[in-house]
Amino acid sequence: MQTIDKQISIIPLDSRFGKCLHSHSAMQLEIYYTLENPDTKLGVINDATGKFTFSRGARVDVTPKILVNNGCMLTNVVRTDFLTNILTKQR
């Protein structure tokens, strides 16, 4: 478990996990820093709301690596229900 310290940015993503305009986004990548690893970015893939999922102080489980597809591996990511559903559909 790690503790969210700072909310950094939200990046809109298309269905292939590529950066895109918010108006074309299928999901978003949220970037955070944690108290335990302040120099390492933590990612959250979630529905494209334009808002952060986690607030400062929230405790989250971090998965070191998740293979999304042949060309994409996520590192230091929180496995949300949204991400689990995306991964299930791709397999």
Side-chain angles (χ1 to χ4, degrees), residues 1-2 42 59-63 77-79:
M1 292 289 274
Q2 294 191 32
L42 169 73
R59 301 274 297 151
V60 294
D61 279 324
V62 178
T63 303
V77 67
V78 176
R79 188 184 287 266

Side-chain angles (χ1 to χ4, degrees), residues 32-44:
Y32 301 87
Y33 284 124
T34 64
L35 291 173
E36 294 79 5
N37 293 306
D39 295 330
T40 303
K41 292 178 182 174
L42 169 73
V44 174

Side-chain angles (χ1 to χ4, degrees), residues 2 4 23 25 37 49 58 75 78:
Q2 294 191 32
I4 299 293
S23 59
S25 62
N37 293 306
T49 63
T75 58
V78 176

